[in-house]
Amino acid sequence: MTLTLKDLERMQTTLQESHLDYQLELVEGRISIMGPCDITSSEIGARLSYFLNMWVIPRKMGRVYDSSGGFILPNPDADLRAPDVSFVKAEKLKRSQRSFAQLVPDLMVEIKSKTDRIKPIVEKIQAFLELGTEVGILIDPDKETVSIYRLTNEPMVLTSSDTLMIPELFPGWELPISELWPPVFE
């Protein structure tokens, strides 16, 4: 049985009425349920969003979204997906709306949670790239690596001693990878 966006919205309502906090995605007519992630992954997402917003907002380059922002993708199944962090250029979305965005973000980021497997994450990134996302990023807190995916290249893997740059989306922006990892307070 193939499910639709209406089915997903009904399920979200039911979960909310039951006071259950799950994020849902619609992938190839199936609903995928994800529970909250570990706090390390959450903090990394918050840190990346902060650093991106500090560059994007003053320059009015576009919009940065967290893991709650859903995108209805232009594929035959009209999948609803929600990257952990995403960016949409200003010219693609001049005004935020009170619904899911019906477009492909220009940047999508997935952050590996403690229980995630890498293969499905990479498949999600590849699916976004094939639909028009310019850059996909996989952050792996366990290995402290950041892998940058583009449609036509092999992934570039960065470590804590490297600097993240995405010149096609954020000219001049640089972020030391070490800034992504949660600090240790003494």
Side-chain angles (χ1 to χ4, degrees):
M1 177 164 108
T2 301
L3 301 174
T4 66
L5 190 54
K6 275 193 170 206
D7 296 319
L8 180 129
E9 288 172 339
R10 276 196 296 272
M11 186 174 221
Q12 278 182 320
T13 301
T14 301
L15 290 172
Q16 289 168 349
E17 289 169 354
S18 301
H19 304 289
L20 296 173
D21 183 24
Y22 293 106
Q23 183 173 330
L24 305 178
E25 289 186 338
L26 183 63
V27 183
E28 297 176 357
R30 294 184 319 265
I31 294 177
S32 176
I33 301 172
M34 293 153 290
C37 70
D38 62 82
I39 61 170
T40 295
S41 297
S42 176
E43 186 174 358
I44 290 168
R47 292 174 70 80
L48 178 59
S49 293
Y50 169 78
F51 292 128
L52 283 173
N53 272 316
M54 292 299 291
W55 187 261
V56 167
I57 291 172
R59 292 164 182 79
K60 298 181 181 178
M61 298 175 78
R63 303 173 189 287
V64 176
Y65 296 99
D66 68 11
S67 62
S68 298
F71 295 89
I72 299 173
L73 301 178
N75 60 5
D77 296 311
D79 290 346
L80 174 66
R81 306 298 303 261
D84 292 325
V85 177
S86 54
F87 166 77
V88 177
K89 292 177 186 174
E91 59 266 18
K92 283 175 67 176
L93 191 59
K94 295 193 180 292
R95 180 183 303 262
S96 272
Q97 50 206 35
R98 294 289 286 164
S99 62
F100 301 118
Q102 293 189 21
L103 54 83
V104 179
D106 299 290
L107 168 72
M108 65 85 65
V109 179
E110 288 296 308
I111 303 163
K112 182 187 177 296
S113 292
K114 185 177 176 180
T115 58
D116 284 341
R117 295 183 341 268
I118 292 292
K119 185 179 177 196
I121 298 172
V122 171
E123 288 171 352
K124 182 176 180 178
I125 292 170
Q126 290 296 339
F128 271 81
L129 292 172
E130 289 167 9
L131 290 171
T133 293
E134 290 184 52
V135 179
I137 295 177
L138 167 57
I139 300 175
D140 187 341
D142 299 324
K143 295 181 180 176
E144 291 193 350
T145 59
V146 174
S147 300
I148 304 169
Y149 293 79
R150 292 175 174 89
L151 189 58
T152 58
N153 301 335
E154 289 295 312
M156 179 187 332
V157 180
L158 305 176
T159 63
S160 291
S161 61
D162 294 317
T163 300
L164 176 61
M165 294 177 279
I166 310 171
E168 62 267 66
L169 296 176
F170 314 113
W173 181 75
E174 296 184 358
L175 177 66
I177 298 297
S178 60
E179 289 294 317
L180 288 173
W181 314 132
V184 176
F185 301 118
E186 301 294 329

